[in-house]
Amino acid sequence: MASREEPRPRREVHHPADLAEALRAVRPRVPDTPSDSSSDSGHDDKDKIEPMPSVRLRRKSTSDSYDDSAVVTPEIVPIENAEAVIEKPSPKYLQSLPKTNTMDGGKKTYVVVSDDAELREILRRGLEGGRERVLPTRREKNLRDMVFTKQFSCFDRQNQDAANSQFHGFYVLFWIGMTILILKMGAENWRKTGNPLGTNEIMKTMFRRDVVVLLLSDGIMCGLTGVSWIVQRLVFRQYLDWERSGWIIQNIWQTLFIAGVVGLPLVREWPWTHTVFFVLHGIVMLMKQHSYAFYNGHLSNVYKKRQNLLFKLKQLELVSPVSFPSPTSPQVSTLSTSHLALPPSANEYYERRKSLPKSQIAEQSDIETISNAIEEAAPLDMEQLHLFQRLIKWEVDALADELTGKATDPARFYPNNLTFLNHYEYIVLPTLVYELQYPRSDSVNWSYVAEKTCALIGVIFVMIMISQAFIYPVVMRTVYMKEMGWTTAQRFREFPWLLSDLIFPLMMEYMLSWYLIWETVLNILAELTYFADRSFYDAWWNSVSWDQYARDWNRPVHNFLLRHVYHSSISSMKVDKHTATLITFFLSACVHELVMWCIFKKLRGYLLILQMCQLPLVKLSRTKWLRNQETLGNMLFWAGIFTGPSMLCTLYLIL
């Protein structure tokens, strides 16, 4: 009786995780010699070769209005009317393929021609794996990857690029012109009123009453930020669970905090100068508390998970291995061990988590399965014990890297950072994003502090003079219109003239207020607190679109919104990047509208509408008519900056 043939062992196919691994897997299939690629039957059937299916592998780039980094997503695109290719595509065929421009956000294209169904399946799986790995990895940047480096602001004299700029003379000329203007205005006021400051209503309003109350209230407000520190101490001591009650209590406190900040000026009936200072500073303290609480809340979850793994590791050390192969799950052959060859780090940890199949994430990860096996005291063999220890130790070290962040001082590692002094040190630093450690300078340059303080006082004086001479008379004219009972139609007929009277002085105030805060105040704070990252703004005056302006005009607020609104909405609300951009712009517009309501005591929504109109303007700047038209884009940007403040102020005054 003829013996039956033994079935061939089934060959397991390893599906690669990304395109690079797929191409490496394909490389050995290429014949090394001409004899390997030919056979007798191949020569006999030479005329019967069928066209090989062709596909184009394309990596498409997508841009974002708020986050300027691009997301690269691979996709597979079939090529229609592909020609038959035997050994390699002909030069004529390659020239017929669409060309791409990678310098302009184009799509990188790879041409692969093959009749191997397995190869096509490998490429397809590799592309899908790459897509799953790339997109979620972007979402993990909500609380990580914020880089602080030692640098100076653009107009700082310590900035060598600014000092050596060919346009430095225009900067000097601007301040010479401002000096001449102020001297002329002072001389004119002296001739008319006998006082260089003129009638000086604005100064009288600023110092008429409640100056001491304002300063005391501001100090108390800064002190109350310690509530967020107390919440984090309770979370660390496990009196609160951040994932359950901790974040809810924090949000309730933040709501009460901002309500008090907005309500106090209304109760005290403060003038607009007191209100602007107190409300803006209160919003800054709110953002600081939010960043401190939610970053440390995230680290508390990491710390808790690491402590749990350390406990599992101690339990594992007490387990006696069985002498026979253990049937306990997970089996060694089913565990992923490729990451063990890499040094444990937070980045590798999140990369690995996001590279896992969705089905595995939905059920249980390897570590969770191992933890369950240890908890159940199931029998384990020596191979399982050894591998389980390696896997848990790798996770423990990776989580420890997350708890240290970019800090080099162990006193700043979590939870050592949860101290009274660390919290209030962060409160006075000129940043809105909490980190375990920042780049610091070696000493305080007191001559630099004196220079910036003189600039601070000088700019405030210039702003008061301009407001008194050019803005205050227009405001009083609108007040007179309302007191005389002018109808809305009558007042609106004055709109063009009021707008023309305010456009230049408000533009000047807009520029000076920016210089006052971002160049003088923040640099003084940075020098006094040894804060070395002075990149408070970028060259926003060269903006060619409104999204570039949003990123460059106010870097501290942009960094806060990028981490705690944009990326957090993507990770927690599971929205796409376009919806996240809409949420970010809308929240920013609401906060700006709140400030306008505090000043004018009117809720009109003019600023909110104009700020939301920036989104369609961003889309317009990316059309073929405006793309790469930098001069035209910059002209449109400056037209908006010129007309925006005066239009808003005029609308709030007459309506």
Side-chain angles (χ1 to χ4, degrees), residues 546 585 589 593 605-617 640 643-649 651-652:
W546 289 102
F585 269 84
E593 188 62 36
Y606 304 137
L607 180 54
L608 187 147
I609 294 172
L610 288 180
Q611 193 164 343
M612 294 305 296
C613 286
Q614 292 179 4
L615 289 176
L617 291 176
T643 57
S646 56
M647 182 181 298
L648 283 172
C649 186
L651 287 173
Y652 278 108

Side-chain angles (χ1 to χ4, degrees), residues 72-90:
V72 181
T73 306
E75 62 177 355
I76 185 166
V77 182
I79 300 177
E80 297 180 358
N81 302 325
E83 300 179 6
V85 182
I86 298 177
E87 293 183 357
K88 63 180 181 179
S90 65

Side-chain angles (χ1 to χ4, degrees), residues 146 148 284-285 287-289 291 425-435 438 522 525-526 529 531 533 535-536 555-557 559-560 563:
M146 190 66 68
F148 288 85
V284 167
M285 292 298 107
M287 290 189 286
K288 278 180 169 287
Q289 290 184 86
S291 183
E425 179 190 39
Y426 162 67
I427 290 299
V428 298
L429 291 178
T431 179
L432 300 177
V433 174
Y434 181 78
E435 285 287 340
Y438 303 93
L522 294 184
L525 280 176
T529 58
F531 190 78
D533 191 341
S535 180
F536 304 125
R555 297 296 297 179
V557 171
N559 291 336
F560 175 87
R563 172 191 273 189

Side-chain angles (χ1 to χ4, degrees), residues 158-311:
Q158 300 178 96
N159 189 334
Q160 293 301 318
D161 293 336
N164 299 328
S165 173
Q166 295 180 351
F167 294 94
H168 182 71
F170 282 98
Y171 175 76
V172 176
L173 177 63
F174 171 81
W175 288 112
I176 291 176
M178 291 300 303
T179 303
I180 295 174
L181 175 63
I182 296 303
L183 290 176
K184 179 181 181 301
M185 291 168 56
E188 190 71 19
N189 290 334
W190 177 271
R191 185 170 65 87
K192 291 181 178 179
T193 64
N195 187 343
L197 298 178
T199 53
N200 204 20
E201 287 88 355
I202 294 179
M203 288 285 288
K204 294 176 182 177
T205 301
M206 290 175 62
F207 297 101
R208 180 180 302 163
R209 66 180 183 88
D210 273 5
V211 176
V212 176
V213 175
L214 172 65
L215 296 177
L216 290 175
S217 301
D218 191 70
I220 294 172
M221 177 185 66
C222 294
L224 287 175
T225 60
V227 174
S228 298
W229 168 69
I230 295 174
V231 171
Q232 290 308 308
R233 292 296 302 179
L234 294 175
V235 170
F236 170 65
R237 295 294 182 183
Q238 298 187 5
Y239 294 108
L240 296 175
D241 187 341
W242 178 254
E243 288 294 322
R244 296 181 180 179
S245 58
W247 71 272
I248 297 176
I249 293 174
Q250 179 66 33
N251 280 320
I252 292 174
W253 160 244
Q254 290 177 182
T255 303
L256 295 175
F257 181 86
I258 194 62
V261 167
V262 173
L264 182 60
L266 298 177
V267 173
R268 298 292 302 181
E269 296 183 349
W270 280 346
W272 69 270
T273 51
H274 293 45
T275 301
V276 168
F277 170 78
F278 190 75
V279 171
L280 288 180
H281 200 200
I283 293 173
V284 167
M285 292 298 107
L286 177 70
M287 290 189 286
K288 278 180 169 287
Q289 290 184 86
H290 184 89
S291 183
Y292 178 86
F294 279 80
Y295 186 75
N296 282 296
H298 162 72
L299 293 182
S300 70
N301 294 330
V302 175
Y303 180 80
K304 186 188 300 183
K305 183 174 183 179
R306 183 174 181 271
Q307 293 300 109
N308 183 56
L309 290 178
L310 287 173
F311 179 72

Side-chain angles (χ1 to χ4, degrees), residues 600-634:
F600 292 100
K601 308 298 187 295
K602 299 176 182 178
L603 188 61
R604 296 289 189 265
Y606 304 137
L607 180 54
L608 187 147
I609 294 172
L610 288 180
Q611 193 164 343
M612 294 305 296
C613 286
Q614 292 179 4
L615 289 176
L617 291 176
V618 170
K619 294 293 184 182
L620 181 63
S621 67
R622 295 175 180 171
T623 60
K624 62 181 180 180
W625 297 284
L626 292 179
R627 190 189 303 122
N628 299 326
Q629 301 291 332
E630 295 185 356
T631 301
L632 179 59
N634 190 244

